[in-house]
Amino acid sequence: MSFISKWAGLLGLLAVLVIGDQIRINRPGHKYRLTVEVTTPDGIRTGSGILAVVPDRNYNRGGRTTMRGEAVFVDLGQDLRQGKNLVALLAHRQGGKLDLDDINYVALRAYGAARGNRVSFNDISRQTGIVPVQGELIPVLVSFADPRDPASARLVAADHAETVLGDGYAIHSLTAEVVPNGFWPIDFGGVLGEPVTRGIDAKLPWLAAPGDPAATALKAAGLPDLGAAEAREAFARK
């Protein structure tokens, strides 16, 4: 074997090891489908999204479990400019603050509550069935009188949705369902596995605008202030 061939082989092996390690680090620990069902005068309307939870497997995340995915947008079947929509944010309200990390544990805690025992991170990907998301596990819900305008956001109470959405509207249910990780990072759909849901920018076009539109939306809904980057994480995470 020539000197050049030897080094080419070693570099190839190193590349394989580096790529393999990056897949190990960044592969989701589990994925789950968050589904929101809303009762309307015309029947139940549903929205859902696949969220991926990535536990810290490396020194470069500072020990923080991270999330990939987007807020769940529910089209309520009316003229969207008239406030007939509901958005389940990637955030929970904890006292006077917004918590952006609890969304990582919604499936974990929902399955634990449904099973009547604690479910660990190592076991969550093996859970089956659909379980309810209730009480403190329900993320912050908002509605936009005009989805093109972040300042039109209004906070929706899970138990009194009709106050904002109108008579005949109510939160029917929120559920979580663990789905297979698939062949990440080539989980493009079908047999490769369900990808993380994207497309919220098309429904809330201001998310792609410059400035702090996400912070404007949270403020309009009467939610605690966050910085521009953190505010956007309530709607979408890469």
Side-chain angles (χ1 to χ4, degrees), residues 23-29 53-59 61:
I23 291 175
R24 177 191 68 82
I25 292 170
N26 293 291
R27 185 174 189 267
V53 180
V54 185
D56 176 60
R57 301 188 182 100
N58 188 324
Y59 32 80
R61 282 201 186 92

Side-chain angles (χ1 to χ4, degrees), residues 164-233:
V164 172
L165 299 178
D167 291 340
Y169 290 85
I171 306 303
H172 183 265
S173 69
L174 281 84
T175 60
E177 178 187 14
V178 167
V179 299
N181 270 338
F183 295 96
W184 191 90
I186 57 170
D187 49 349
F188 302 135
V191 296
L192 297 176
E194 295 189 62
V196 166
T197 303
R198 298 295 182 189
I200 192 78
D201 285 355
K203 296 163 183 170
L204 302 175
W206 46 264
L207 269 175
D212 302 336
T216 297
L218 298 182
K219 182 178 180 181
L223 294 165
D225 290 338
L226 292 174
E230 283 191 315
R232 197 180 194 285
E233 285 195 351

Side-chain angles (χ1 to χ4, degrees), residues 3-167:
F3 178 80
I4 293 177
S5 296
K6 178 180 178 180
W7 277 104
L10 289 174
L11 289 173
L13 177 60
L14 179 61
V16 169
L17 292 174
V18 169
I19 292 171
D21 191 49
Q22 286 302 303
I23 291 175
R24 177 191 68 82
I25 292 170
N26 293 291
R27 185 174 189 267
H30 66 275
K31 294 179 183 176
Y32 71 94
R33 178 183 288 106
L34 180 63
T35 300
V36 182
E37 293 187 334
V38 181
T39 300
T40 79
D42 299 318
I44 292 178
R45 297 283 178 169
T46 302
S48 67
I50 302 294
L51 304 173
V53 180
V54 185
D56 176 60
R57 301 188 182 100
N58 188 324
Y59 32 80
N60 64 3
R61 282 201 186 92
R64 184 188 176 195
T65 295
T66 56
M67 162 71 66
R68 299 184 192 124
E70 296 181 339
V72 175
F73 186 100
V74 186
D75 178 349
L76 298 181
Q78 302 287 336
D79 184 346
L80 295 184
R81 291 172 296 179
Q82 300 303 313
K84 302 308 180 186
N85 58 77
L86 184 77
V87 183
L89 300 183
L90 304 180
H92 288 76
R93 198 164 185 173
Q94 299 288 353
K97 297 181 179 179
L98 272 187
D99 189 299
L100 298 177
D101 290 330
D102 271 7
I103 194 70
N104 301 331
Y105 308 103
V106 164
L108 191 76
R109 292 167 179 166
Y111 276 92
R115 305 290 191 252
N117 60 280
R118 183 177 178 273
V119 176
S120 71
F121 252 113
N122 292 332
D123 293 333
I124 184 63
S125 61
R126 293 190 286 271
Q127 301 301 307
T128 59
I130 300 173
V131 294
V133 173
Q134 301 172 324
E136 294 181 353
L137 295 182
I138 296 176
V140 174
L141 306 174
V142 298
S143 181
F144 291 87
D146 182 351
R148 300 167 301 180
D149 180 7
S152 71
R154 298 295 180 267
L155 186 65
V156 176
D159 53 351
H160 292 292
E162 73 282 357
T163 302
V164 172
L165 299 178
D167 291 340

